Amino acid sequence: MPKKKYFLNEEKTEILELSWKSGYSEIEIFYNSKPVAQISGGQAESGQQIELVDGKKLYLKLERSFFPVLTVKIDGKHISGTHGDPVYQLRQIFYFMIVLGIVNILIELFIFIMGYEVSNLKYCTAAIGIIYIALGYLVSKGNGIALTAIILLLFCDLIISMKTIPEVFSIVLIIKVAFLAIIMRGFRYIKEYNVEKGLK
């Protein structure tokens, strides 16, 4: 069973450990190395609140999707590094944008080296790739405008890609559509991120 450890204070004296079976069918919870609870995936989907021995309130909720997300909070605050943590989720979007940006740049490089004839949108794919990376960084800092720009740019990029990318790279279009679906949920995490940071 996969297992993950989280430190709840700077001194690293309070430790929460989670272990789970494939697909989160079963989740085991340990606090300071002592077993606290064992819950099923169905219970986690409904949301579970557990009181720890020191009175802290632990909350877990599982959201099933293409990439399942397990939200874990202590006394109403996200635990750093957990999948439901807004900081973690926005950082993942940044990583997605780095990957997508590099893919765009490599495709443009391939087109240039192979001498493919393309439309007058030459070099747009690489330029968009660079912009993706810059916008992704801003999203990781809780910038909702940057996230909106990424989504609009992805739509434009898909149109440009259909005109400029050789058929051999058609799988890239599918990847971009998948990324778009994942990125859309970023608005929720930006809102949570800014609330936790005390911003409006």
Side-chain angles (χ1 to χ4, degrees), residues 44-159:
E45 285 186 70
S46 301
Q48 293 290 308
Q49 181 165 290
I50 301 164
E51 185 170 345
L52 302 177
V53 291
D54 56 5
K56 288 185 172 68
K57 300 291 192 302
L58 174 68
Y59 176 77
L60 294 94
K61 184 172 177 60
L62 176 64
E63 298 175 48
R64 294 196 183 277
S65 61
F66 187 72
F67 291 105
V69 175
L70 181 63
T71 295
V72 187
K73 297 181 179 181
I74 287 281
D75 292 335
K77 294 184 178 180
H78 287 280
I79 296 175
S80 178
T82 56
H83 289 178
D85 177 19
V87 174
Y88 174 89
Q89 285 291 334
L90 297 182
R91 192 180 297 130
Q92 295 307 302
I93 291 177
F94 179 32
Y95 295 154
F96 279 135
M97 290 301 98
I98 290 175
V99 171
L100 199 53
I102 291 173
V103 167
N104 271 33
I105 293 168
L106 290 177
I107 288 174
E108 193 71 67
L109 183 61
F110 178 84
I111 291 172
F112 175 77
I113 292 173
M114 299 303 293
Y116 280 102
E117 290 293 329
V118 296
S119 67
N120 56 2
L121 297 173
K122 191 175 183 181
Y123 304 127
C124 274
T125 302
I128 289 174
I130 294 170
I131 295 171
Y132 276 146
I133 296 172
L135 289 174
Y137 173 77
L138 293 176
V139 168
S140 73
K141 301 302 179 182
N143 191 310
I145 295 175
L147 183 60
T148 302
I150 284 175
I151 292 170
L152 293 175
L153 193 59
L154 255 174
F155 277 115
C156 295
D157 188 17
L158 284 168
I159 295 171

